[in-house]
Amino acid sequence: MPLLVDGEEPTTTTKKKLRKNKNLEAKSRSDGDAPDPHEVYHVGAHAITRNIDLWCDVDKVIKMAHLIEQVNASHSGELDEEKSAHDAREEALSTIDQESRDLYLRSYYKIIQIVPSLKVVIDDPNKASELTAITSKMNMTIRTTRSSDAIHLKPHITQYIPFNPFKSQINPPIINANGRADMGLNHPVLARFLCPVDQLERFNTDIEQAMKDLKSGEISMEAENFPALFWSGERPGDDFEVDNMFNGLFRGYLLVRVGCHIFLGPSSALGKDSRGTCSCNAILHGMTTINAEHIAYICVQTRFGISSMNQWHENDGVLSYFDQYRKIVSLIRNHVNTTWRDDLLKWWNKQMFGNENGRSHSNSKNLKNEAEVSCSSTSVRRPMSIMEKMHAQMQSHVTNTQLSSSWPGSNSVPRSNGLASTGASTSRSLEASTPTSTPRFTSSHPSTPVPPELSPTPPTVTPVPVNATTSGRTLSDSPLTDADLPLMPVTNKRARQPKTATMKGNGKKRAGSPSNGAVEGTTGKRQRRGRK
């Protein structure tokens, strides 16, 4: 299956090729062909892009992680090596600072956690060529994933821009979001979103001039100058404070909507439950909590989504998405105020999963709430439905019918719930609904004896005499109702009709013959001849 290169959008021809290859793959699977053995690495690469590192190079991560592990082992005395090997390794790592080394190790361990089978290939020297093929495919998938997420976000981003999309829309309206001509710095609202947050006052003073300064580069838009859309507020950046710049940072409403779109599905972006037919990315990737890499990925995709760029690219003018992604991750992870960092991650968990502890706790809490609601609903008496009333009447009638058979000195059956007695035939028709334990029959008269509890007895049916006339009874006197009478099987054959007079001349039947029995046939012809 061909994959899109970084920055390439699927054209009509590419879509046809993709559909054709999918059909061929489906046909090959139906023919019994073995699946792709590298499919697990392809799936893992999607998770690496969104959860570990947007710019991950799997092959480089594996090599650098091994070198760093050798350095650590050499310092601890666990590795005995020659000086030439030690010098070569130190030279390879000389340009890599400690923060980058930590990033390589962290990415490596997370990759092994997502794709455990990759560890077997890495440790086997005989599978070096296979490892190269696997990492090459994974790197291609990583590039395709970030481009695919950007393309899928593009037609939805205009719906997420208004603070309250159900009451107001962006003004001036964006006619065609896919065209991108009216996006980014070409739109006054989006230009304010992209404006560096410390330049908002200048932007609000003269919007047209500020837009020109942003396009010309007079207002710097480099990676270090975070845009206003990263901050919270009804208008992004409204909650920004010069004396407390971390207030509302990475809590913009547009970021939350884009995050829900990517990880939970487009249907949940505007605060609704996901109704997708497929599992969302959070479930597919085993994602239970939000971390710094998730927030950085959302920020970069949001920044690109409202820009005027048609294709995904690492740079947008002087802005480097690579640098901005790295700076966001570093800022959150290495923040000296751990309370701010923990509160930020809890806030994101709450926005995404409904619980500050993450998705797993949210699911258990929802199940607990559902159980509590279910228990509380059983304790509240609700009105009986018509069907429940009908079943109650039938059971009550069966009970009264059984009790009447043992009631001393009484030949009548008391009525219950408006149903009249119909004898043993009703007991037979309601045999399936007879309760397992018969409730005691109580009388309102104090002197009336209360019979003991009775076990249900099988209903009996009086047989119909063979000769109903000689026994003084007719069929209407039988205790059986119409429902108890046997029914004739329904067939497609017609019942035989009584014979009618047949014309010997032409063999036709005539139902409406005269009463004298004269039939026009051979005899009629002879009579006419005699008259002549």
Side-chain angles (χ1 to χ4, degrees):
M1 176 177 171
L3 297 175
L4 300 176
V5 298
D6 197 14
E8 179 184 355
E9 293 193 16
T11 60
T12 304
T13 305
T14 306
K15 291 179 180 179
K16 290 181 179 179
K17 291 181 179 179
L18 293 175
R19 286 195 296 267
K20 182 178 180 180
N21 289 336
K22 287 182 179 180
N23 295 334
L24 292 176
E25 291 176 0
K27 183 178 180 180
S28 63
R29 287 193 296 267
S30 62
D31 294 340
D33 294 345
D36 184 6
H38 297 162
E39 180 66 21
V40 62
Y41 308 116
H42 174 74
V43 175
H46 289 291
I48 292 172
T49 311
R50 303 182 180 112
N51 299 352
I52 299 178
D53 188 2
L54 172 61
W55 309 97
C56 182
D57 185 338
V58 180
D59 183 64
K60 186 176 182 180
V61 167
I62 294 173
K63 292 179 180 179
M64 299 304 295
H66 275 190
L67 292 177
I68 296 171
E69 286 182 340
Q70 290 176 5
V71 171
N72 297 336
S74 177
H75 290 169
S76 61
E78 299 176 1
L79 179 63
D80 186 12
E81 60 181 351
E82 297 181 357
K83 186 178 184 302
S84 58
H86 177 272
D87 294 342
R89 185 179 60 250
E90 291 297 332
E91 182 179 359
L93 297 175
S94 60
T95 59
I96 301 176
D97 56 11
Q98 186 60 40
E99 184 177 355
S100 298
R101 295 187 184 192
D102 295 340
L103 173 63
Y104 280 123
L105 283 178
R106 184 169 63 248
S107 300
Y108 173 75
Y109 293 137
K110 287 186 177 181
I111 290 173
I112 297 303
Q113 183 179 6
I114 293 177
V115 192
S117 57
L118 186 61
K119 179 66 173 175
V120 180
V121 183
I122 294 173
D123 294 339
D124 191 350
N126 298 325
K127 296 183 177 181
S129 59
E130 182 182 357
L131 177 61
T132 302
I134 291 173
T135 55
S136 177
K137 288 184 178 180
M138 294 179 71
N139 290 336
M140 181 64 71
T141 303
I142 290 172
R143 292 193 293 269
T144 305
T145 301
R146 61 192 182 213
S147 298
S148 177
D149 285 348
I151 293 170
H152 293 160
L153 176 64
K154 187 186 301 183
H156 299 273
I157 192 68
T158 54
Q159 304 174 24
Y160 306 153
I161 292 174
F163 181 76
N164 192 341
F166 302 104
K167 294 184 179 181
S168 61
Q169 296 298 325
I170 186 173
N171 186 28
I174 299 175
I175 305 301
N176 185 8
N178 291 327
R180 317 293 289 181
D182 298 331
M183 303 285 287
L185 298 179
N186 300 322
H187 194 284
V189 176
L190 300 184
R192 189 185 186 280
F193 281 47
L194 298 173
C195 178
V197 69
D198 60 346
Q199 300 294 323
L200 281 180
E201 184 177 353
R202 176 178 176 180
F203 186 93
N204 295 332
T205 303
D206 190 346
I207 297 178
E208 293 183 1
Q209 184 60 40
M211 292 175 64
K212 293 179 181 179
D213 294 340
L214 289 170
K215 293 178 182 180
S216 64
E218 185 175 344
I219 298 179
S220 177
M221 298 179 63
E222 295 181 353
E224 297 86 354
N225 298 322
F226 288 170
L229 66 92
F230 288 0
W231 273 263
S232 61
E234 185 172 345
R235 294 186 308 170
D238 282 351
D239 294 341
F240 172 76
E241 299 177 2
V242 178
D243 297 333
N244 184 14
M245 301 181 67
F246 288 97
N247 181 48
L249 178 58
F250 302 132
R251 302 194 184 199
Y253 69 87
L254 185 58
L255 298 179
V256 176
R257 292 173 183 176
V258 173
C260 292
H261 174 97
I262 294 174
F263 293 104
L264 303 180
S267 59
S268 63
L270 295 177
K272 299 180 181 179
D273 293 335
S274 179
R275 293 291 183 265
T277 57
C278 301
S279 298
C280 62
N281 289 325
I283 295 177
L284 294 176
H285 303 336
M287 174 181 166
T288 57
T289 57
I290 298 294
N291 56 37
E293 287 76 11
H294 296 131
I295 298 176
Y297 186 78
I298 293 169
C299 289
V300 170
Q301 288 288 358
T302 306
R303 171 64 174 77
F304 172 81
I306 64 175
S307 70
S308 58
M309 296 183 64
N310 287 321
Q311 296 181 348
W312 173 266
H313 198 272
E314 181 178 337
N315 298 317
D316 183 1
V318 297
L319 172 67
S320 171
Y321 286 114
F322 177 88
D323 292 341
Q324 192 166 79
Y325 177 86
R326 289 278 189 265
K327 292 182 182 300
I328 294 173
V329 173
S330 176
L331 178 63
I332 297 176
R333 282 192 168 274
N334 302 324
H335 201 285
V336 293
N337 187 353
T338 57
T339 302
W340 176 86
R341 180 187 60 200
D342 295 341
D343 289 344
L344 176 66
L345 298 180
K346 289 179 180 180
W347 183 87
W348 269 98
N349 288 332
K350 181 70 174 179
Q351 300 300 314
M352 296 284 288
F353 305 126
N355 190 290
E356 63 180 14
N357 294 321
R359 182 167 63 89
S360 58
H361 294 80
S362 176
N363 292 343
S364 61
K365 182 179 179 180
N366 291 340
L367 293 175
K368 181 180 179 181
N369 291 341
E370 292 176 1
E372 291 176 354
V373 172
S374 177
C375 294
S376 62
S377 61
T378 56
S379 61
V380 179
R381 184 176 181 83
R382 60 178 180 83
M384 295 179 65
S385 65
I386 296 177
M387 185 62 66
E388 290 174 339
K389 293 179 181 178
M390 294 170 65
H391 280 293
Q393 288 183 357
M394 288 190 296
Q395 293 179 0
S396 177
H397 177 71
V398 171
T399 302
N400 294 337
T401 302
Q402 293 176 352
L403 291 175
S404 65
S405 60
S406 60
W407 191 258
S410 175
N411 295 327
S412 62
V413 180
R415 297 175 180 266
S416 174
N417 292 333
L419 288 179
S421 173
T422 56
S425 61
T426 307
S427 299
R428 179 185 179 187
S429 62
L430 301 176
E431 180 179 1
S433 61
T434 304
T436 56
S437 61
T438 307
R440 298 188 62 181
F441 181 87
T442 57
S443 174
S444 59
H445 199 281
S447 61
T448 305
V450 178
E453 294 186 359
L454 300 176
S455 59
T457 57
T460 58
V461 179
T462 306
V464 181
V466 178
N467 190 354
T469 305
T470 56
S471 62
R473 300 175 62 185
T474 62
L475 188 60
S476 60
D477 297 329
S478 171
L480 293 175
T481 62
D482 293 339
D484 297 304
L485 297 177
L487 300 177
M488 295 296 295
V490 179
T491 63
N492 293 329
K493 296 181 180 180
R494 291 185 177 183
R496 180 170 298 187
Q497 301 294 334
K499 292 184 178 181
T500 58
T502 305
M503 295 183 293
K504 296 181 180 180
N506 52 13
K508 295 182 179 180
K509 297 180 180 180
R510 191 171 181 179
S513 303
S515 58
N516 57 5
V519 179
E520 185 177 357
T522 306
T523 307
K525 292 180 180 179
R526 292 176 181 176
Q527 291 176 356
R528 287 195 294 273
R529 290 172 187 169
R531 293 192 188 109
K532 293 179 180 179

